[in-house]
Amino acid sequence: MNVLVVGGGGREHAICAALKRSPRVDQLYCAPGNAGIAQIATCVDIQATDIAAMVAFVKANPIDFVMVAPDDPLALGMVDAMEAAGIRAFGPRANAAIIESSKVFSKGLMEKYGIPTAKYRVFTDMDQAIAYIRAEGAPIVVKADGLALGKGVVVATDVDMAVDAVKSMMQDKKFGDSGSRVVIEECMTGPEVTVLAFTDGKTIVPMLSSQDHKRAYNDDKGPNTGGMGAFCPSPKYTPEIAQTCMETIFRPTIAAMNKEGRPFKGVIYFGLMLTPDGPRVVEYNARFGDPETQPILSMLETDLLDIFEAVVDEKLDTVDIRWKSGAACCVVMASGGYPTAYKKGYEITGLDRVPEDIIVYHAGTKRAGDGKILTNGGRVLGVTALGSDLPAAIARAYAGVSCIDFTDAHYRTDIGKK
Ligand code: AMP
Ligand code: GLY
């Protein structure tokens, strides 16, 4: 089968690498891809959000199956458009992807169906939002309603910080229309765990639990980023907690989406907080997480194409999904200055010195005319390693990082250490 993966980050590199292991994948395409993906797939220069061009490309080429990875084309209806053109596509339709693209929708869903989450209020009026913050006090959490590349959330430790966040979203339009409605939430406490799950709308199969590191600097300091590193499985996600999540969160969410006439097929991402009152949902995403996917799919034993097809065909109950034992860790190497201003175009050296057992997933990279690999984004590489246990996987990932260099490279030195 010939398969097209839509997207071009570290997550898509990990998806392509897992698909490449399938004996049933013949030609693998990725749009737009990056310099690392180009080593295992044919990269096609179409932006991930360009639905018309993507459908036209698939129709003009012998492609049998499309996997849409990023949030924005899903929210824009790329899977719907592929299906309308008679193309088999993996990922939720737009009416289900809304579980990520609107926090107002997802909070309303959880409230309606009794799925545990933080208490919240929605505001379209800035003065009312500010009055509510002053009445509730801090700590308090301010979120832009729409997609904001994982950066539209401010966990405010004092009232002024929360008020500033509301102003930057609603008045200064820092996230454009995404901030015209804001959600203000109770601040929850406890360790965070990410659980990604495959679902065909009937069966839901969680992957290995994982943990992201969203803040830019060590000790969870600095601004929120798309994710600076991740590991799996999470030692905090015990079998008992997994059972509770299945009963109180995972199955109820899938059932709720069906009841709403928005059946969810694809990968659903549960951002969870293990609070003193039990596991609660921080956020849903409608897709694989980045960088969680890099360690998770590195540990997948089952053929990923078999899983993707079973999801599309609503036969997920017939697939036995197996994982390697041990642990995996991914350390993100980012451009200095990320997540705010940073420069691109620096040469990346040392990639050829990385030992073979360490996987370097590319995110923001591109190949120059002379064959050099250059930085081309905020998150540049996701250096990923497996180990018999978490400390071994972490040590191996950092051994990989130490081989690689580019100007102003920035990475956290504490991934998985907490
Ligand atoms: P989100 O984009 O919704 O995942 O939020 C980004 C990060 O903000 C999360 O990973 C949490 O660390 C934090 N966060 C979001 N909502 C809350 C909340 N209600 N209470 C405490 N922390 C939160
Ligand atoms: N790592 C967080 C996300 O993918 O949204």
Side-chain angles (χ1 to χ4, degrees):
M1 266 177 55
N2 298 331
V3 180
L4 168 69
V5 173
V6 174
R11 165 185 58 202
E12 288 77 9
H13 194 178
I15 292 167
C16 285
L19 287 171
K20 198 74 186 168
R21 298 199 290 270
S22 167
R24 293 197 301 116
V25 173
D26 299 314
Q27 293 293 317
L28 184 59
Y29 296 87
C30 187
N34 60 38
I37 295 173
Q39 293 165 3
I40 55 171
T42 304
C43 290
V44 185
D45 190 16
I46 300 173
Q47 284 314 300
T49 47
D50 192 340
I51 295 180
M54 205 68 79
V55 171
F57 174 78
V58 174
K59 280 176 145 176
N61 289 275
I63 290 167
D64 308 294
F65 194 91
V66 178
M67 189 281 165
V68 183
D71 51 2
D72 29 12
L74 290 167
L76 290 168
M78 187 175 281
V79 168
D80 312 53
M82 292 289 170
E83 287 177 352
I87 300 155
R88 294 172 77 211
F90 178 94
R93 294 178 186 157
N95 75 351
I98 191 173
I99 201 166
E100 168 170 8
S101 59
S102 170
K103 294 201 192 282
V104 173
F105 172 84
S106 63
K107 295 298 288 188
L109 186 85
M110 288 185 269
E111 184 170 49
K112 182 168 171 188
Y113 292 92
I115 298 165
T117 189
K119 187 183 93 174
Y120 77 107
R121 290 271 300 272
V122 181
F123 294 93
T124 49
D125 180 278
M126 191 173 79
D127 294 331
Q128 284 177 10
I130 291 171
Y132 179 74
I133 288 169
R134 294 203 191 284
E136 289 286 308
I140 195 158
V141 181
V142 181
K143 301 185 173 186
D145 173 39
L147 296 177
L149 296 171
K151 292 157 208 153
V153 174
V154 175
V155 180
T157 44
D158 59 60
V159 166
D160 288 344
M161 188 176 168
V163 169
D164 286 347
V166 166
K167 284 184 180 161
S168 79
M169 288 175 196
M170 303 189 87
Q171 186 174 294
D172 310 338
K173 297 271 170 208
K174 190 168 171 200
F175 303 107
D177 282 345
S178 285
S180 52
R181 283 196 293 187
V182 300
V183 173
I184 299 183
E185 274 187 16
E186 156 198 14
C187 189
M188 303 186 287
T189 55
E192 285 187 65
V193 177
T194 301
V195 178
L196 310 182
F198 295 108
T199 178
D200 59 4
K202 300 178 195 155
T203 305
I204 180 159
V205 183
M207 303 182 213
L208 295 177
S209 62
S210 61
Q211 196 183 322
D212 188 8
H213 294 65
K214 287 206 169 92
R215 301 298 195 97
Y217 312 126
N218 279 6
D219 300 321
D220 293 330
K221 300 241 165 66
N224 266 320
T225 69
M228 293 299 293
F231 62 82
C232 71
S234 166
K236 295 185 175 128
Y237 193 70
T238 62
E240 281 112 29
I241 293 174
Q243 172 105 28
T244 304
C245 290
M246 185 55 102
E247 285 163 13
T248 63
I249 296 172
F250 304 162
R251 285 206 198 100
T253 299
I254 298 309
M257 291 298 279
N258 283 327
K259 280 231 177 77
E260 294 295 305
R262 301 171 181 272
F264 192 103
K265 286 166 69 169
V267 169
I268 184 161
Y269 171 123
F270 299 94
L272 305 172
M273 199 168 271
L274 308 180
T275 76
D277 304 320
R280 296 211 222 161
V281 177
V282 178
E283 63 162 345
Y284 294 115
N285 290 327
R287 52 171 175 84
F288 278 105
D290 189 337
E292 294 94 329
T293 303
Q294 288 83 316
I296 291 173
L297 288 187
S298 300
M299 293 190 70
L300 178 67
E301 282 190 336
T302 308
D303 185 319
L304 186 58
L305 182 61
D306 286 349
I307 302 173
F308 282 172
E309 285 200 283
V311 166
V312 170
D313 299 339
E314 298 179 19
K315 289 182 185 152
L316 188 58
D317 59 336
T318 65
V319 185
D320 177 25
I321 301 181
R322 287 206 303 271
W323 305 93
K324 291 192 166 81
S325 59
C329 176
C330 169
V331 178
V332 169
M333 297 182 75
S335 297
Y338 173 77
T340 47
Y342 56 84
K343 293 205 178 100
K344 301 195 267 192
Y346 294 122
E347 182 183 358
I348 305 169
T349 57
L351 291 167
D352 51 350
R353 288 198 296 273
V354 177
E356 277 210 347
D357 64 301
I358 299 168
I359 316 157
V360 181
Y361 293 118
H362 289 223
T365 67
K366 73 169 184 198
R367 185 176 286 274
D370 56 10
K372 286 179 180 163
I373 309 275
L374 307 180
T375 65
N376 193 39
R379 292 187 291 178
V380 177
L381 301 169
V383 183
T384 306
L386 274 56
S388 53
D389 58 15
L390 187 54
I394 295 167
R396 206 66 200 131
Y398 278 106
V401 169
S402 71
C403 300
I404 302 169
D405 196 30
F406 55 87
T407 303
D408 294 340
H410 163 68
Y411 56 88
R412 282 180 57 163
T413 57
D414 65 345
I415 301 302
K417 302 258 162 80
K418 204 160 78 181

